[in-house]
Amino acid sequence: MHAHTEPGDLIPLKVLIAGGFGVGKTTLVTSLSEIPPLLTEQAMTSASIGVDEADMVPTKTTTTVAMDFGRITVDDSLILYLFGTPGQSRFWFMWDELARGSVGAVVLVDLRRIDDCFPAIDFFENRRLPFVVGVNRFPGADDYDVDTVRDALALSSDCPLVWMDARDPKSSRDALVRLVEHALARTAMARAG
């Protein structure tokens, strides 16, 4: 906390980082967190063969089994708490608890494995939580234009779509800013309507 900020003046916002297995959620939280992130990474074992689709991420040796947690102080009045969700379907039961009280989510997508993002998109659409889709720049991501990706994901026209690199703090920060702007705009529209 900054020296001239009063504790009651600080606005905390909870943000989820979601998406399929091995899409970059832990990488994004790690790249942004100003504190050492809390990671619940465990070594992948032979028990995950046939359960976790690791073919497209052959160098992946660990997986999130609960959540990742990080923090970003935006300015004297705003702090973001980042919660990275587990990507495998056997851990989806945790998403409701993680989503409670959140301002929204960044749903990461690997265009090589587009089907992996649909459960996260469906989750946030069904709960009417604001989200942005972040196309993580894996090989081939830049081969597609915005309209093609938007159509493939069946995204509504008001859902922001951004190209990003979860390893790059500036790129990840820009995706979070876009999410907060989107959430504020939705709140303003709801109040007006």
Side-chain angles (χ1 to χ4, degrees):
M1 188 163 18
H2 299 289
H4 60 284
T5 303
E6 296 296 320
D9 296 339
L10 198 59
I11 300 169
L13 293 179
K14 180 181 184 182
V15 174
L16 298 185
I17 310 301
F21 170 74
V23 77
K25 299 175 298 291
T26 299
T27 301
L28 188 148
V29 171
T30 302
S31 78
L32 283 176
S33 184
E34 66 193 20
I35 60 171
L38 168 67
L39 306 176
T40 60
E41 293 280 298
Q42 292 295 312
M44 292 174 58
T45 66
S46 59
S48 69
I49 296 172
V51 177
D52 297 327
E53 298 290 331
D55 295 343
M56 293 302 291
V57 283
T59 58
K60 187 167 179 58
T61 59
T62 62
T63 189
T64 300
V65 296
M67 68 175 183
D68 298 320
F69 174 78
R71 183 186 76 200
I72 306 167
T73 302
V74 177
D75 60 27
D76 290 345
S77 63
L78 181 62
I79 190 166
L80 299 179
Y81 293 104
L82 306 177
F83 289 82
T85 65
Q88 306 94 317
S89 60
R90 65 184 178 277
F91 297 122
W92 289 346
F93 68 91
M94 299 175 65
W95 287 21
D96 278 321
E97 285 302 316
L98 290 173
R100 187 166 287 125
S102 70
V103 69
V106 174
V107 176
L108 292 177
V109 175
D110 178 350
L111 293 180
R112 303 170 302 176
R113 301 175 294 134
I114 197 166
D115 289 345
D116 293 352
C117 73
F118 288 118
I121 289 172
D122 291 345
F123 178 88
F124 295 109
E125 283 180 343
N126 290 338
R127 286 157 184 80
R128 295 191 172 113
L129 281 170
F131 68 96
V132 300
V133 172
V135 176
N136 203 359
R137 283 204 149 101
F138 285 101
D142 293 332
D143 295 345
Y144 303 95
D145 62 52
V146 172
D147 291 334
T148 301
V149 174
R150 188 174 288 286
D151 288 345
L153 297 175
L155 292 179
S156 65
S157 60
D158 67 331
C159 179
L161 178 65
V162 297
W163 262 251
M164 60 171 294
D165 184 338
R167 300 168 297 182
D168 176 29
K170 182 184 179 328
S171 178
S172 297
R173 197 172 317 122
D174 290 347
L176 289 177
V177 166
R178 188 67 189 101
L179 169 63
V180 172
E181 291 171 347
H182 178 58
L184 288 171
R186 280 189 45 174
T187 301
M189 283 177 30
R191 287 184 180 155

